[in-house]
């Protein structure tokens, strides 16, 4: 719970909301500015167990900033992020990861000098051992069971033909799938994805949608930031719309699609 000096009636009602029994992630009144630019203001968001929650909004709306606040890369100026009852704000990214939050960034972050298989094994090893390590010449050879799981995970994202490819040689779309595999092998309680299909051809986008649907059947809670409305409407149970750093609409895909505020926010951009 958050430390508050004095509780107001408003705080009481928010405590009640935070107590929603099936809430996995609660973003509580988050603000973040960059030298005077309000990237996030008054952001409240609740992600429920097992749902796929999409965060959409025009370019520069604050979507990536919000995700970076959730994973501990950015510290909010105000407010907090609560995961499974535990306050994440103030924790380091690796601590948040150890609690069961995995992420796929907008710019794929893979180990360029390692192979596909080795890249997938790194987070699995770190998770198991409770610390991060990369020692490809010693560790990977000895880890037969993890290797099998890594191969299966690579297959699940369609990278089975590239197991020994060096990550630096891969296309951006393939790196994205690799990063997704690196997230999935951790079996996270919550998976945060920042535009997982950006840079992919339509065929690969559809394959990723199918994969994310399959993961959903397994019950994993996901937050997905996405620009591609085909992906959003294929996957989302609920949608939050950010514009100018504020949540302007929240609801089911149908509710959001028909919200005039959302249409207005997207004027000059793509159709919602
Ligand atoms: P989105 O992901 O929705 O496109 P971002 O969260 O990346 O938007 O950015 C929101 C706003 O904050 C933009 O105006 C962006 O230029 C600004 N911004 C993001 N990160 C930084 C940063 N590290 N320093 C300064 N400004 C930033
Ligand atoms: Mg972004």
């Amino acid at each position: 719970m958050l430390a508050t000096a004095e509780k107001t009636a408003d705080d009481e009602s928010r405590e009640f909301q935070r107590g929603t029994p099936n809430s996995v992630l609660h973003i509580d009144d988050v603000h973040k500015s960059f030298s005077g630019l309000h990237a996030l203001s008054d952001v409240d968001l609740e992600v429920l167990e097992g749902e796929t929650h999409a965060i959409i909004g025009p370019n520069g709306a604050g979507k990536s900033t919000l995700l970076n606040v959730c994973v501990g890369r950015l510290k909010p100026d105000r407010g907090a992020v609560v995961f499974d009852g535990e306050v994440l704000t103030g924790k380091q990214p690796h601590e948040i990861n150890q609690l069961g939050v995995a992420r796929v960034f907008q710019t794929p972050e893979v180990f360029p000098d390692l192979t596909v298989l080795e890249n997938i094994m790194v987070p699995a090893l770190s998770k198991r051992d409770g610390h991060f390590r990369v020692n490809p010449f010693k560790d990977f050879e000895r880890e037969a069971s993890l290797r099998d799981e890594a191969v299966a995970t690579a297959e699940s994202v369609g990278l089975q033909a590239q197991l020994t490819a060096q990550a630096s040689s891969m296309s951006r779309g393939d790196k994205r799938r690799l990063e997704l595999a690196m997230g999935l092998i951790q079996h996270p309680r919550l998976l945060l994805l920042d535009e997982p299909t950006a840079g992919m051809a339509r065929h690969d986008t559809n394959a990723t949608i199918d994969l994310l649907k399959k993961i959903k059947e397994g019950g994993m809670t996901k937050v997905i930031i996405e620009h591609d409305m085909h992906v959003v409407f294929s996957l989302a149970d609920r949608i939050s719309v950010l514009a100018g750093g504020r949540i302007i609409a929240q609801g089911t895909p149908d509710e959001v699609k028909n919200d005039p505020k959302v249409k207005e926010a997207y004027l000059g951009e793509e159709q919602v």
Side-chain angles (χ1 to χ4, degrees):
M1 288 291 131
L2 302 179
T4 41
E6 268 183 82
K7 273 189 188 168
T8 62
D10 186 41
D11 286 334
E12 299 277 355
S13 70
R14 279 207 262 106
E15 296 255 351
F16 177 70
Q17 280 181 25
R18 192 178 306 135
T20 305
N22 56 349
S23 163
V24 172
L25 185 75
H26 182 82
I27 296 170
D28 186 35
D29 193 29
V30 161
H31 291 243
K32 179 72 193 172
S33 299
F34 297 109
S35 34
L37 173 102
H38 295 290
L40 296 172
S41 308
D42 306 322
V43 174
D44 278 306
L45 204 153
E46 189 119 35
V47 178
L48 305 179
E49 176 89 57
E51 80 170 335
T52 298
H53 195 114
I55 299 176
I56 68 169
N59 269 326
K63 305 182 296 296
S64 294
T65 302
L66 185 58
L67 199 108
N68 283 327
V69 165
C70 291
V71 300
R73 282 200 157 187
L74 289 174
K75 211 169 169 271
D77 305 328
R78 202 174 92 197
V81 177
V82 183
F83 168 66
D84 229 357
E86 190 151 357
V87 177
L88 299 186
T89 310
K91 290 192 192 301
Q92 294 297 315
H94 70 273
E95 295 172 315
I96 293 173
N97 183 238
Q98 287 289 335
L99 288 171
V101 181
R103 80 288 176 278
V104 177
F105 286 119
Q106 190 163 7
T107 307
E109 293 189 5
V110 298
F111 300 101
D113 298 335
L114 300 186
T115 66
V116 164
L117 203 52
E118 289 166 347
N119 262 286
I120 299 173
M121 288 177 75
V122 169
L125 284 165
S126 317
K127 173 143 199 249
R128 191 195 59 189
D129 300 343
H131 60 84
F132 176 82
R133 64 173 182 176
V134 191
N135 196 342
F137 303 107
K138 279 194 181 151
D139 298 333
F140 294 145
E141 290 308 316
R142 287 199 236 121
E143 303 289 350
S145 64
L146 272 187
R147 175 175 285 264
D148 289 348
E149 193 182 357
V151 171
T153 309
E155 279 173 8
S156 75
V157 300
L159 288 176
Q160 62 277 8
Q162 300 184 61
L163 296 179
T164 57
Q166 196 172 323
S168 59
S169 68
M170 300 169 82
S171 70
R172 197 174 148 92
D174 282 350
K175 279 186 193 149
R176 228 161 245 285
R177 289 197 279 175
L178 174 55
E179 214 195 3
L180 180 57
M182 291 165 76
L184 292 177
I185 199 161
Q186 300 173 48
H187 302 289
R189 176 99 199 277
L190 174 67
L191 182 63
L192 306 170
L193 305 121
D194 196 350
E195 303 205 17
T197 65
M200 281 186 190
R202 180 50 73 187
H203 171 80
D204 290 332
T205 296
N206 287 337
T208 304
I209 292 173
D210 289 344
L211 172 65
L212 292 174
K213 276 187 183 157
K214 228 183 282 165
I215 298 167
K216 182 175 172 164
E217 285 161 19
M220 190 187 294
T221 308
K222 294 191 297 299
V223 173
I224 178 168
I225 288 175
E226 188 53 71
H227 220 78
D228 182 336
M229 291 304 151
H230 171 61
V231 178
V232 171
F233 289 108
S234 301
L235 290 171
D237 298 305
R238 290 193 306 143
I239 300 176
S240 294
V241 187
L242 263 181
R246 288 178 187 277
I247 302 272
I248 58 161
Q250 233 160 10
T252 64
D254 277 342
E255 285 165 354
V256 164
K257 206 188 286 188
N258 296 315
D259 189 320
K261 289 194 294 299
V262 178
K263 290 190 173 150
E264 198 186 320
Y266 273 92
L267 276 182
E269 284 228 349
E270 64 205 273
Q271 289 292 306
V272 175

